[in-house]
Amino acid sequence: MSNETELNQAGFDAIAHAMGQLYPGQKGFYYGTVIPAFLGGNDPLDGVEVWKSERGIPHWHYVTYGFTELYQKESDDPKESGYGFELTFRLKREGEEEPPVWPVNLLQNLARYVFSSGNVFGPGHHMNANGPIALESDTQLTALAFRTDPELGELDTPNGHMIFLQAVGITHDEMEALMCWNGEKFLRAMEEKIPLCISDLARGSLMESPSFRSLWQQGVEKDGSSTGFLYMDEIGAKLSAGTVVLRFGAGHIQTLLNMLQARVGKGRDLYLQGEDASVFFQPGEFAAAMENDTLVLRLPSQALDELRAILCPHAGVYPLSSVPITVELVPTEITDARGNTIRVIE
């Protein structure tokens, strides 16, 4: 191999070397694309490599090649390689001799999202998969959280700095709990229960564990939430003659109340975005105004306490007595991964 060829794949070799150091003497399973993206292929990643790990519990350790600059330096930022990260994923082994392929497809889909939107992942972030992370499975893991991979950490390559970012499968209620706290702290607490935060399709929610829920509640009370933005499908906001009318889906109200307490209750703002309306909650003496199609609403602690006291996950109209705010809760349809309605909260 010529020196020029070695130089042109220096980023690729840096990742491969890091994996070789973590798993000495082992040959990984490499799933490459037929036509790489830089040659016009449809798969954004050049490939995904999988290693057999015995640490924590026996599992498969997946790592991507393609979020960073694998070959020649192309970006103008000399300090960072590409998007600045490669993704990893750890899946509990079930006795199979070769790794399941579905996580490869999952990682490619995450890459399509990043490459098309320009939105990047970072430690503490989360993403709703809107269905099982393993398609056609009945797993409760329907979302992902991200943290720095504890065994691989960060890496300086000839094309710049990068981190290995582990995608962790989590349940829907774990995602909501994570949002109300701090993503990195939530995952550190999870690791006390699940070694290396290894994804196990058969596991239930940690929020059903009294000890874990207590730890989470203590964290929320101490730290509040690091999430300042929340998207909800069903949002309505009207302001007329100083009176505010808010509309939310009944099935999402507990999450909203938790977020308001963890943000506004801690003196922080919360931006709520829906398909047809947006509300910017702020702590302070009551005030309401429309600014650029967004309702800016200052919420005193008394009003927040009243909201938490009277709202429940049932459709209805709930007027507040402490401030001129009325909350309308409308029925919420819970759907499966195919969009079929499986339950209505009303």
Side-chain angles (χ1 to χ4, degrees):
M1 185 177 291
S2 69
N3 290 335
E4 181 180 0
T5 303
E6 291 179 1
L7 177 63
N8 285 344
Q9 63 174 31
F12 191 108
D13 289 344
I15 299 171
H17 179 69
M19 299 309 299
Q21 286 188 313
L22 183 59
Y23 298 105
Q26 183 183 153
K27 183 178 180 180
F29 294 84
Y30 186 78
Y31 296 86
T33 56
V34 177
I35 303 177
F38 74 93
L39 293 178
N42 294 323
D43 292 325
L45 300 175
D46 279 33
V48 176
E49 194 167 23
V50 193
W51 302 81
K52 182 181 288 188
S53 176
E54 306 298 334
R55 300 178 181 93
I57 58 176
H59 66 280
W60 298 107
H61 194 183
Y62 297 72
V63 62
T64 64
Y65 288 78
F67 286 99
T68 58
E69 293 165 294
L70 302 177
Y71 307 104
Q72 67 272 12
K73 182 68 178 175
E74 296 179 353
S75 71
D76 296 328
D77 186 353
K79 296 183 179 180
E80 188 170 78
S81 178
Y83 287 106
F85 66 88
E86 292 288 353
L87 288 178
T88 74
F89 183 75
R90 297 173 184 267
L91 177 67
K92 181 182 178 183
R93 288 209 318 269
E94 301 292 350
E96 63 275 306
E97 292 301 318
E98 294 188 2
V101 177
W102 68 261
V104 176
N105 298 325
L106 173 67
L107 294 168
Q108 286 283 10
N109 286 333
L110 291 175
R112 290 187 182 93
Y113 166 77
V114 172
F115 280 52
S116 63
S117 68
N119 298 327
V120 299
F121 301 119
H125 290 187
H126 68 274
M127 183 179 191
N128 190 349
N130 296 313
I133 61 172
L135 296 179
E136 308 302 327
S137 75
D138 60 357
T139 180
Q140 293 186 43
L141 305 185
T142 58
L144 296 166
F146 300 87
R147 67 170 191 159
T148 302
D149 190 295
E151 292 189 310
L152 291 170
E154 305 183 22
L155 181 66
D156 287 316
T157 79
N159 291 329
H161 188 74
M162 59 158 287
I163 65 173
F164 289 96
L165 199 62
Q166 181 185 351
V168 179
I170 58 175
T171 66
H172 182 76
D173 58 350
E174 288 170 352
M175 181 189 72
E176 293 187 336
L178 178 151
M179 290 161 49
C180 295
W181 188 16
N182 175 287
E184 292 182 90
K185 290 184 178 181
F186 185 93
L187 292 176
R188 284 200 292 271
M190 173 181 281
E191 189 164 23
E192 295 181 11
K193 300 287 186 179
I194 304 174
L196 294 172
C197 290
I198 294 165
S199 296
D200 177 2
L201 296 182
R203 78 170 178 86
S205 172
L206 287 177
M207 299 308 294
E208 297 175 0
S209 164
S211 61
F212 186 86
R213 176 172 282 275
S214 176
L215 181 62
W216 166 74
Q217 289 175 332
Q218 292 173 23
V220 173
E221 291 172 2
K222 177 184 177 182
D223 304 320
S225 171
S226 60
T227 302
F229 176 91
L230 180 63
Y231 179 85
M232 294 174 64
D233 292 333
E234 185 63 52
I235 296 177
K238 295 180 181 179
L239 175 62
S240 178
T243 298
V244 174
V245 178
L246 300 173
R247 186 184 74 251
F248 304 112
H252 305 301
I253 196 61
Q254 190 57 55
T255 298
L256 176 58
L257 290 176
N258 288 339
M259 287 295 295
L260 284 172
Q261 179 62 27
R263 293 291 300 183
V264 179
K266 293 293 184 179
R268 304 169 189 168
D269 300 335
L270 176 65
Y271 190 90
L272 204 62
Q273 178 67 57
E275 292 184 358
D276 303 315
S278 56
V279 185
F280 187 35
F281 289 99
Q282 298 174 329
E285 185 177 348
F286 175 79
M290 294 299 299
E291 298 182 6
N292 299 322
D293 298 324
T294 296
L295 175 64
V296 180
L297 183 60
R298 284 210 297 269
L299 205 61
S301 58
Q302 183 181 2
L304 180 56
D305 291 341
E306 187 179 4
L307 276 173
R308 298 186 67 197
I310 70 171
L311 292 185
C312 57
H314 297 288
V317 179
Y318 302 83
L320 274 66
S321 60
S322 59
V323 290
I325 296 177
T326 295
V327 179
E328 298 178 354
L329 299 185
V330 298
T332 300
E333 291 187 354
I334 307 299
T335 60
D336 60 19
R338 297 180 177 84
N340 301 315
T341 300
I342 56 177
R343 185 161 64 99
V344 177
I345 298 176
E346 56 184 356

